[in-house]
């Protein structure tokens, strides 16, 4: 069964420090992985995705994610955190339906708090 | 701005009532997805439509239904509302063979 886990409910980091938001997955076949961010009272915004190729994926707002097949992980990273990065972050894995259409399964979300 | 629009932004209603949430996908996207986000259940996939036809179902209650119209906008109908239906309802759109879904700003439903 396809699933995705975000082991941390909240991550606290000081501004300027590197940040990591963790995600692990379970999927049959090749994984298609995504990160989304949700700011307060807003919809989810697409950050980046891994389909194939380079294990380090670069996305919006300076974020990147590292795909690790052996550890079945897809951690989100940023070298230097900003207070404005404070938000709710969701990892997702693609699940292909029998009709060939795709739906996403989301993790529970991790709240990132960046302190000045 | 993702290009996906949802109306209304907020909806307050009473138990037992019926409401309709509306979504317009990004220009060119044929797929529409509906999600429910609540504090205790997280982000749950409800249903997907592609070019007017239902394609995938998730954790959607029988009291809920959806449809996608010829102009590709979609409506989610929630009936016999219960307190527990209070949540944020998101619509997302995407292309059939692409993987990225683009989310609208959501409709916050409050059932009193």
């Amino acid at each position: 069964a396809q699933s995705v886990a975000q082991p941390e409910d909240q991550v606290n980091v000081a501004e300027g420090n590197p940040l990591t938001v963790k995600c692990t997955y379970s999927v049959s076949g090749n994984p298609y992985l995504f990160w989304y961010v949700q700011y307060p009272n807003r919809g989810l915004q697409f950050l980046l995705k891994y389909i194939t190729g380079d294990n380090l994926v670069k996305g919006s707002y300076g974020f990147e994610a590292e795909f690790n097949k052996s550890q079945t992980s897809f951690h989100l990273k940023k070298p230097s955190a900003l207070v404005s990065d404070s938000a709710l972050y969701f990892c997702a894995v693609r699940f292909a339906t029998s009709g060939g259409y795709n739906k996403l399964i989301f993790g529970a979300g991790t709240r990132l708090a960046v302190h000045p | 701005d993702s290009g996906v629009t949802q109306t209304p932004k907020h909806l307050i209603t009473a138990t037992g009532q019926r409401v309709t949430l509306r979504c317009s996908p990004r220009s060119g996207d044929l797929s529409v997805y509906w999600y429910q986000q609540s504090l205790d259940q997280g982000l749950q996939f409800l249903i997907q439509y592609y070019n007017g036809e239902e394609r995938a179902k998730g954790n959607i209650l029988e009291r809920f239904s959806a449809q996608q119209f010829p102009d590709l906008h979609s409506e989610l109908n929630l009936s016999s509302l219960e307190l527990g239906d209070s949540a944020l309802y998101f619509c997302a759109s995407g292309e059939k063979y692409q993987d990225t879904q683009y989310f609208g700003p959501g409709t916050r439903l409050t059932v009193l």
Side-chain angles (χ1 to χ4, degrees):
Chain A
Q2 331 284 0
S3 66
V4 60
Q6 293 180 243
E8 302 156 317
D9 290 337
Q10 178 151 335
V11 170
N12 296 297
V13 64
E15 187 175 32
N17 283 1
L19 70 87
T20 298
V21 183
K22 295 180 181 177
C23 172
T24 59
Y25 65 90
S26 173
V27 64
S28 54
N30 293 322
Y32 286 34
L33 300 157
F34 301 79
W35 276 103
Y36 285 81
V37 60
Q38 185 180 24
Y39 297 100
N41 301 313
R42 301 284 294 277
L44 277 72
Q45 294 180 33
F46 168 71
L47 276 180
L48 51 81
K49 67 181 177 183
Y50 173 83
I51 304 297
T52 186
D54 195 348
N55 290 342
L56 187 63
V57 179
K58 294 190 182 298
S60 306
Y61 312 121
F63 283 93
E64 57 191 26
E66 185 170 13
F67 171 67
N68 187 315
K69 188 173 184 177
S70 63
Q71 297 186 4
T72 62
S73 67
F74 188 56
H75 299 333
L76 182 70
K77 300 181 179 185
K78 187 173 183 181
S80 178
L82 300 172
V83 172
S84 58
D85 292 330
S86 299
L88 189 57
Y89 290 81
F90 290 95
C91 182
V93 62
R94 187 197 80 164
F95 175 69
T97 65
S98 58
Y101 295 87
N102 300 320
K103 65 178 183 181
L104 295 179
I105 298 173
F106 286 85
T110 298
R111 189 164 299 282
L112 173 66
V114 182
H115 305 285
Chain B
D1 184 1
S2 67
V4 178
T5 60
Q6 289 186 250
T7 56
K9 285 188 178 179
H10 303 278
L11 202 48
I12 301 175
T13 189
T15 54
Q17 296 297 306
R18 172 189 170 95
V19 297
T20 298
L21 313 183
R22 182 188 168 103
C23 167
S24 293
R26 293 188 320 158
S27 176
D29 285 351
L30 301 182
S31 279
V32 169
Y33 308 79
W34 284 98
Y35 292 86
Q36 180 194 57
Q37 185 180 33
S38 60
L39 283 176
D40 56 344
Q41 295 288 330
L43 195 63
Q44 298 285 322
F45 167 73
L46 295 178
I47 198 165
Q48 177 199 0
Y49 278 81
Y50 175 80
N51 202 20
E53 294 186 16
E54 181 185 306
R55 289 301 183 185
K57 254 185 176 178
N59 301 323
I60 188 166
L61 299 172
E62 287 193 8
R63 300 184 286 109
F64 296 0
S65 65
Q67 55 184 330
Q68 186 179 26
F69 294 87
D71 67 353
L72 300 178
H73 90 272
S74 178
E75 293 181 356
L76 179 67
N77 300 297
L78 314 176
S79 62
S80 303
L81 285 168
E82 301 174 359
L83 296 177
D85 297 328
S86 296
L88 265 170
Y89 290 84
F90 288 109
C91 165
S93 75
E95 301 173 53
K96 178 182 180 182
Y97 294 118
Q98 299 300 314
D99 305 287
T100 304
Q101 295 179 21
Y102 296 90
F103 283 74
T107 294
R108 182 174 293 279
L109 173 66
T110 302
V111 182
L112 300 176

